[in-house]
Amino acid sequence: MDYASAAANSEDLCMWEPVAGAPPATQTPLESFLTDLQSAALASFGERDFDPKLYVDLPLRSALSVTRTAFEALPRLCSGKIASDTLKHFIDKFFDVPGSDLLPHVPKDFRSEPEGFLPLVKSQEARVWALKVHALWLQLSRKVAENVQNQPDMHTLLPLPYPVIVPGSRFREVYYWDSYWIIRGLAVSKMYDTAKGIVRNLFSLVQTYGFVPNGARTYYKNRSQPPLLSAMVRVVYENTHDLDFVEEAFPVLLREHSFWQSDLHRVHIMDRKGHKHSLNRYSANWIGPRPESSTIDKQIADRLSKEKRSLLYHDIASAAESGWDFSSRNGHDLSSMRTSSIVPVDLNAFLFQKFHVLDIVNQNVNVFPSNFIPLWCGVLRPGDSRIENIVKAFSSSGLLYSAGVPSSLRQTGQQWDFPNAWAPLQHMIIEGLDWTNSKDAQIIAEVIARRWIWTNYNSFNATGEMQEKLDAQICGKVGYGGEYKPQAGFGWSNGVVLALLQKYGWPEDPTLTCR
């Protein structure tokens, strides 16, 4: 499993308990109503192509009390269901379209071809594609409508002071860790003001809630995502040398760090030598179905006792906090999630980028790319004698495929498992290997980078869009599995491709066509 070495004695891992003085979060009245609507919609419309998130993203046209009264007055069939035509008419009358509370926005710092854009890309074929990817920022740029701030009880969207870049498709709002790779791409596109605005939006969330929620929706306030805010600040500084921005960030970063060091996320464990350690875990402040997937979670936990249901709901939400929703890393399937009983190496590396060396090499049979994320976090300095063993471990891990690094070697049907490859994992593995200054590691890093550029180019040519995830086995093939259909857009995929082209470029030959 994806444990830190100090977590070898699994019996010393604490199980989740409600934090004294900080009871689990509860739904807002609007969320409660929208999850009722979600359940009714599933009953009326059926499971085919049903997306539960759509219903909790609906902006109200009338006051909640008026809308709920009208909903409760709808005629029911003998089965208790609402006729599909009746429910559709109700939704059209009382709600605006999901995402309509985010307005299209043209960033002031966007240029169709920025000065000095991708100087190492010599291939005309690659440059034309890269400019198309760069132009996608226009399609993904939004500004939160003023009525979200003025009428918060009618939206699940959270107000933000600056324009945003959204991932795309069903992900209509800002997401925490997605934003890091979006910012990496914006830096390549020379869109520094937009990047600063995105980070300042996250600052505003920390100042309001004490942490960065999973995403900018009220129903995401029960959990966070991998803590990369300080890494975003570093990217902005490295590209702008704006010390005032760093000073602005410092108190915010301290406040976020306190959130991750709270009892909710902290565990005390003992290593093989009897030494005690304080480490961190993903642990959502939540013991109910996730509002955005309430119908799914209820079906999974239906047969469990109330106590076991609460624990499972907590661990499902905690897996979402990890960003890996979902993967065998946190349980074989959703019914067996045990996220809060795992000490993940990636989270602890993100938080303690200079702490004791984790047991990266001596992992058990379940191999995940996250085992090697400490390299990206700088846990080992260049020249450290242990790097050679880690590079050998990665080379023999089975994770190197012809079209990317898969999220795991287990094929469970979950989207963060085999054969799916995700942009952020590719990028962290590539940069982690490259930053070791090991010649062997840097060769592997460039191989992975070029394969990832290849597969994204061919997928884009086949579909006309950048994809959320790809199949690591086959160049250009879109990924699959999980709770929803494959999504396109796509914020962090765009950012990683641009960052890799900036680093490695592309010669006039070879062609970008799959080989």
Side-chain angles (χ1 to χ4, degrees):
M1 271 297 171
D2 194 15
Y3 298 120
S5 60
N9 297 324
S10 59
E11 66 271 16
D12 292 323
L13 293 176
C14 69
M15 296 299 290
W16 174 83
E17 296 177 355
V19 180
T26 57
Q27 287 186 328
T28 66
L30 177 57
E31 291 167 16
S32 179
F33 169 65
L34 292 177
T35 54
D36 289 345
L37 176 63
Q38 182 190 99
S39 296
L42 176 60
S44 296
F45 301 139
E47 293 186 358
R48 184 176 180 180
D49 296 332
F50 183 79
D51 184 357
K53 184 178 182 294
L54 181 146
Y55 298 93
V56 293
D57 290 355
L58 290 166
L60 295 182
R61 287 182 175 172
S62 304
L64 176 57
S65 58
V66 173
T67 307
R68 179 178 282 280
T69 299
F71 175 72
E72 292 173 349
L74 292 176
R76 263 63 174 180
L77 303 174
C78 295
S79 62
K81 299 178 183 178
I82 303 169
S84 58
D85 289 346
T86 301
L87 186 58
K88 184 180 184 303
H89 178 74
F90 167 78
I91 292 172
D92 291 343
K93 180 178 179 180
F94 284 92
F95 298 92
D96 286 323
V97 176
S100 59
D101 40 9
L102 279 161
L103 307 177
H105 172 77
V106 178
K108 293 181 180 179
D109 52 357
F110 177 83
R111 302 291 181 271
S112 58
E113 184 165 2
E115 184 178 353
F117 183 67
L118 298 179
L120 298 180
V121 175
K122 306 303 181 184
S123 161
Q124 186 63 21
E125 180 185 28
R127 176 164 290 277
V128 168
W129 172 53
L131 286 169
K132 289 179 180 178
V133 174
H134 162 73
L136 291 175
W137 299 133
L138 290 176
Q139 295 183 22
L140 300 173
S141 181
R142 304 283 189 275
K143 189 171 184 178
V144 178
E146 289 185 6
N147 59 4
V148 174
Q149 176 74 50
N150 299 334
Q151 299 174 310
D153 294 340
M154 300 178 72
H155 305 264
T156 57
L157 192 68
L158 296 176
L160 295 169
Y162 296 92
V164 305
I165 301 289
V166 299
S169 297
R170 75 193 290 267
F171 300 110
R172 308 170 183 92
E173 53 284 310
V174 167
Y175 284 80
Y176 182 5
W177 79 317
D178 292 59
S179 296
Y180 173 79
W181 285 280
I182 288 172
I183 287 168
R184 290 294 299 265
L186 290 172
V188 176
S189 295
K190 317 295 184 185
M191 295 172 64
Y192 307 127
D193 289 342
T194 298
K196 283 183 180 180
I198 290 172
V199 181
R200 285 188 167 118
N201 283 333
L202 303 185
F203 289 173
S204 74
L205 293 172
V206 175
Q207 290 160 347
T208 302
Y209 305 109
F211 67 101
V212 182
N214 184 149
R217 292 275 179 185
T218 60
Y219 54 74
Y220 285 142
K221 292 191 298 180
N222 56 65
R223 61 183 188 261
S224 188
Q225 267 192 330
L228 295 177
L229 187 56
S230 61
M232 298 182 212
V233 172
R234 184 172 66 244
V235 172
V236 170
Y237 175 73
E238 288 173 348
N239 285 277
T240 65
H241 304 291
D242 186 343
L243 277 174
D244 290 339
F245 183 78
V246 176
E247 291 178 3
E248 177 186 347
F250 191 66
V252 179
L253 296 177
L254 287 177
R255 188 171 181 188
E256 189 202 23
H257 188 72
S258 296
F259 165 78
W260 285 101
Q261 296 306 316
S262 68
D263 290 341
L264 182 64
H265 291 101
R266 193 167 53 193
V267 292
H268 301 287
I269 59 175
M270 188 177 294
D271 65 21
R272 296 182 183 94
K273 297 180 180 179
H275 299 144
K276 293 183 178 180
H277 301 266
S278 179
L279 293 173
N280 297 81
R281 60 177 175 170
Y282 293 110
S283 183
N285 189 26
W286 193 250
I287 57 172
R290 293 165 297 147
E292 74 278 14
S293 301
S294 180
T295 51
I296 295 173
D297 291 358
K298 286 177 179 177
Q299 289 174 354
I300 293 166
D302 185 51
R303 298 181 181 179
L304 299 177
S305 66
K306 182 178 179 180
E307 181 181 352
K308 289 183 178 179
R309 272 203 310 269
S310 295
L311 181 58
L312 179 60
Y313 287 148
H314 169 73
D315 278 324
I316 289 174
S318 299
E321 182 172 67
S322 78
W324 290 51
D325 42 341
F326 293 96
S327 166
S328 57
R329 186 174 90 142
N330 297 314
H332 181 70
D333 55 29
L334 266 68
S335 66
S336 63
M337 289 287 112
R338 55 192 185 90
T339 318
S340 59
S341 296
I342 295 173
V343 178
V345 67
D346 55 348
L347 174 60
N348 285 280
F350 292 144
L351 289 171
F352 297 102
Q353 295 190 8
K354 297 179 182 178
F355 74 121
H356 71 280
V357 177
L358 304 169
D359 189 359
I360 300 172
V361 178
N362 296 317
Q363 301 288 335
N364 71 19
V365 70
N366 296 321
V367 178
F368 302 95
S370 54
N371 295 12
F372 301 92
I373 285 177
L375 291 178
W376 186 74
C377 296
V379 170
L380 294 182
R381 297 291 187 181
D384 191 298
S385 60
R386 290 163 289 190
I387 287 175
E388 182 180 353
N389 288 336
I390 293 169
V391 174
K392 288 179 180 178
F394 180 76
S395 299
S396 62
S397 67
L399 290 170
L400 278 168
Y401 273 76
S402 61
V405 175
S407 302
S408 80
L409 299 179
R410 298 183 65 182
Q411 192 158 6
T412 65
Q414 296 300 331
Q415 64 171 353
W416 284 83
D417 273 323
F418 189 86
N420 287 342
W422 293 78
L425 295 184
Q426 315 304 307
H427 198 229
M428 287 188 284
I429 292 293
I430 291 164
E431 287 198 331
L433 291 168
D434 181 64
W435 291 345
T436 65
N437 287 345
S438 158
K439 184 177 179 181
D440 289 342
Q442 289 177 333
I443 289 172
I444 297 171
E446 184 167 358
V447 167
I448 298 170
R450 296 211 176 278
R451 288 175 178 176
W452 191 245
I453 292 169
W454 261 321
T455 193
N456 275 272
Y457 174 82
N458 286 275
S459 171
F460 183 88
N461 273 0
T463 66
E465 297 176 302
M466 290 292 288
Q467 301 297 322
E468 176 194 33
K469 53 185 176 281
L470 297 169
D471 187 327
Q473 302 172 101
I474 303 171
C475 178
K477 185 178 178 182
V478 178
Y480 56 90
E483 290 187 313
Y484 54 82
K485 291 183 176 181
Q487 303 293 295
F490 196 86
W492 62 14
S493 302
N494 308 349
V496 169
V497 160
L498 291 175
L500 293 179
L501 287 171
Q502 173 86 353
K503 165 71 176 176
Y504 294 102
W506 200 269
E508 291 185 9
D509 293 314
T511 178
L512 279 162
T513 304
C514 285
R515 299 192 299 176

